[in-house]
Amino acid sequence: MKKIYEGKTKDVFDLENGNYLLKFKDDVTGVDGVFDPGANEVGLRIEGAGKAGLKLTKFFFEKINNAGIATHYVDCNIDESNMTVLPARVFGEGVEVICRYRAVGSFLRRYGKYVKEATPLDAYVEVTLKDDDRNDPLITDDALDMLGILTKEEYATLVSMTKKIGAIVKEELAKKELELYDIKFEFGRVGEDAHIALIDEISGGNMRAYKNGEYVEPLTLEKMMLS
């Protein structure tokens, strides 16, 4: 295998059969040693976070595939912390799509003058550019279209898919008496027809989940969801 990308929480390898292999690591994003799924840097290392993230990713990607929503997921090997995926072409140099159900994190930091912490939000969707040097700036559909990153039609598809996938995750968490506050997704173009598909992962490391108003750590979340 040839390593083609080294990410914050995963490394990507090129397989001989045309697919990619994602190697999950124990690094998670955060600031000053505090976990933050919206951060653009590795903030800490949590032993077992890689396998926990992969287990939850497998759980959710299979649910999403069964719902008829396109993903890049093929299969995984939990023991090796590996996931096999279809190759995908990202939008520009990558975008992140956040679905928000409560006002926390960067949303609260930006708009705290107008909203109280944990105020309910109606599956509010934001898109940011993956750009560490510029702190992953927010971007509008008009700007994405003008810059040639994705069309307005593709943007609408991203928003629609994000709300559908977010609803699946939210519903599954609710079965364990957990509440999803926000979650971050990534998408890409997959296949010869370049259809839009969910890529990357869905784990405790890219969402905020709470129980009875108390934040649930990623490893605890995995245990609660899969027990």
Side-chain angles (χ1 to χ4, degrees), residues 192-225:
E192 294 183 0
D193 62 350
H195 65 274
I196 296 176
L198 178 71
I199 64 172
D200 196 45
E201 66 178 280
I202 298 181
S203 68
N206 60 356
M207 70 175 79
R208 289 187 183 89
Y210 286 69
K211 183 164 186 174
N212 299 323
E214 296 293 328
Y215 169 70
V216 180
E217 295 285 348
L219 287 180
T220 303
L221 177 64
E222 183 271 330
K223 292 177 183 176
M224 295 175 69
M225 286 300 299

Side-chain angles (χ1 to χ4, degrees), residues 123-212:
Y124 177 68
V125 176
E126 295 179 328
V127 177
T128 67
L129 297 178
K130 294 189 73 172
D131 186 340
D132 291 348
D133 293 338
R134 295 168 179 81
N135 200 30
D136 294 349
L138 282 170
I139 189 166
T140 65
D141 55 343
D142 285 334
L144 287 163
D145 185 43
M146 285 188 289
L147 294 172
I149 297 172
L150 63 129
T151 67
K152 289 189 176 183
E153 291 76 17
E154 288 176 321
Y155 181 91
T157 298
L158 286 188
V159 172
S160 176
M161 290 180 69
T162 294
K163 290 186 176 184
K164 290 177 181 178
I165 297 167
I168 291 172
V169 177
K170 196 173 192 295
E171 181 180 356
E172 291 300 324
L173 264 64
K175 293 177 181 178
K176 300 291 184 176
E177 299 182 342
L178 296 164
E179 183 179 354
L180 181 64
Y181 275 32
D182 61 21
I183 187 165
K184 176 175 63 180
F185 300 120
E186 293 190 35
F187 295 86
R189 299 183 180 98
V190 173
E192 294 183 0
D193 62 350
H195 65 274
I196 296 176
L198 178 71
I199 64 172
D200 196 45
E201 66 178 280
I202 298 181
S203 68
N206 60 356
M207 70 175 79
R208 289 187 183 89
Y210 286 69
K211 183 164 186 174
N212 299 323

Side-chain angles (χ1 to χ4, degrees), residues 90-117:
V90 299
F91 301 101
E93 295 187 16
V95 300
E96 293 180 339
V97 188
I98 303 98
C99 191
R100 300 186 181 278
Y101 299 98
R102 285 190 179 269
V104 292
S106 60
F107 183 93
L108 184 64
R109 290 194 292 272
R110 290 194 304 271
Y111 308 126
K113 187 174 182 178
Y114 300 95
V115 66
K116 294 181 179 179
E117 184 174 3

